[in-house]
Amino acid sequence: MPTPARVPPAHPQVRLPGGEFLMGDSFGEGYPTDGEQPVHAVRVTPFAIDVTTVTVAMFRAFVDDTAYLTAAEREGSSAVFHLAVAAERADIIGNSPAAPWWLDVRGADWRHPLGPLSTAEPDHPAVHVAWDDAMAYCAWAGRRLPTEAEWEYAARGGLAGRRFAWGDELTPDGRWLCNIWQGAFPYANTGADGWLATAPVRTYPPNGHGLYEVAGNVWEWCADWFATDYYAHSPAADPKGPRSGERRVMRGGSYLCHHTYCHRYRVAARSANTPASSSGNCGFRTVAARGVTPGVRRTPCSR
């Protein structure tokens, strides 16, 4: 394993004080198989978390230092949304029977997020990153993935029991505060928020803890294995998820989420995927492995 290196200072973290919060869906809006209930009190110890998801520029530094190949690069293809594909027809291998708007595109990876005819922008989230790839990045950077409880605590931004990271209304004063689908999913996107696929990090206002894009844009991997019934018996202090499983937790939703199909940009929403899976709408942010790292700024206690 490469010697851990410091993540470039252009990718800062915020130090959160920890404390107790109510975790889970207070509105009864979650999908039953996602296991967002019961709402339960959770205590987390202080930790430092990235202000944004890991960007293409940050991920490139890791790859340049280690020559790492992601799962998508090793497999030779990855999943791209059908309206965003930038590839020759011959490079479209097939689609998902369960979700035909996902196309398996040869040459789609973190460098080419929409297919081989696209180029990743340095300030966009790194996508086509499997859970295993995110763990490799963390090992290099001296970081770790957040637990699911840490992620929700951070994403709530100090707001208790709210639907979204900013409150209960999706578009207060008519403003779009996250990058999600507008229109009739999956065939017509009005582009009301300005983006069909990923937006650059820091495009939307931060939450109360100073974290950007904790709703929409890209799904974010968490450390935990996923289980639908975990909330019914999870420990009250620093839960770390089941001891084993088949899928890892993802949080935050993505640019493809829509209330008619995937109402998972709510702060309590959960989803999961297998550790080797990659797609054009999934990335990650990291947590300091220990102590306060360089570039960290402190946030006031939760309100």
Side-chain angles (χ1 to χ4, degrees):
M1 186 64 66
T3 302
R6 199 184 87 179
V7 171
H11 196 51
Q13 294 194 314
V14 60
R15 177 75 172 174
L16 299 181
E20 185 170 289
F21 76 107
L22 293 178
M23 185 173 181
D25 171 24
S26 299
F27 297 87
E29 296 172 331
Y31 302 98
T33 55
D34 287 352
E36 296 178 22
Q37 292 183 327
V39 176
H40 56 294
V42 171
R43 296 190 305 278
V44 293
T45 53
F47 62 100
I49 188 168
D50 293 348
V51 170
T52 73
T53 54
V54 171
T55 65
V56 169
M58 299 302 101
F59 201 77
R60 186 181 302 278
F62 158 60
V63 171
D64 288 348
D65 191 44
T66 63
Y68 181 84
L69 287 177
T70 61
E73 291 170 296
R74 295 192 301 271
E75 291 294 326
S77 67
S78 190
V80 180
F81 183 65
H82 73 119
L83 294 184
V85 171
E88 301 289 349
R89 183 176 296 274
D91 287 324
I92 300 175
I93 302 170
N95 62 4
S96 167
W101 47 86
W102 278 115
L103 304 182
D104 187 17
V105 178
R106 184 182 292 112
D109 53 44
W110 70 272
R111 301 177 192 269
H112 311 96
L114 306 181
L117 301 182
S118 67
T119 301
E121 297 292 336
D123 60 346
H124 282 238
V127 294
H128 298 287
V129 176
W131 187 90
D132 294 332
D133 302 328
M135 290 293 286
Y137 177 96
C138 287
W140 169 79
R143 300 285 179 94
R144 62 178 176 84
L145 291 177
T147 66
E148 185 177 17
E150 288 172 334
W151 191 96
E152 185 169 324
Y153 172 82
R156 287 189 176 278
L159 297 180
R162 296 300 185 95
R163 178 178 284 112
F164 305 116
W166 53 86
D168 291 333
E169 188 178 347
L170 178 59
T171 55
D173 303 320
R175 295 176 298 135
W176 285 100
L177 299 179
C178 62
N179 179 16
I180 57 174
W181 187 272
Q182 299 93 41
F185 186 86
Y187 299 112
N189 189 334
T190 66
D193 65 357
W195 306 96
L196 173 63
T198 60
V201 300
R202 301 175 185 263
T203 292
Y204 297 89
N207 73 357
H209 287 329
L211 275 61
Y212 292 84
E213 286 87 46
V214 291
N217 215 27
V218 297
W219 284 104
E220 300 181 22
W221 289 113
C222 291
D224 312 37
W225 288 111
F226 175 86
T228 298
D229 63 350
Y230 182 66
Y231 283 9
H233 54 79
S234 64
D238 290 318
K240 294 179 174 59
R243 292 190 177 185
S244 62
E246 296 181 352
R247 297 180 295 158
R248 295 286 184 174
V249 171
M250 303 188 306
R251 284 301 204 112
S254 82
Y255 57 82
L256 295 179
C257 283
H258 188 264
H259 69 89
T260 62
Y261 164 67
C262 179
H263 194 211
R264 294 187 178 96
Y265 41 91
R266 296 170 295 105
V267 74
R270 315 171 73 210
S271 192
N273 208 342
T274 54
S277 296
S278 66
S279 65
N281 68 338
C282 188
F284 68 108
R285 74 179 75 212
T286 73
V287 166
R290 63 183 66 84
V292 179
T293 58
V296 168
R297 59 188 178 82
R298 295 182 180 273
T299 188
C301 292
S302 301
R303 56 185 183 276

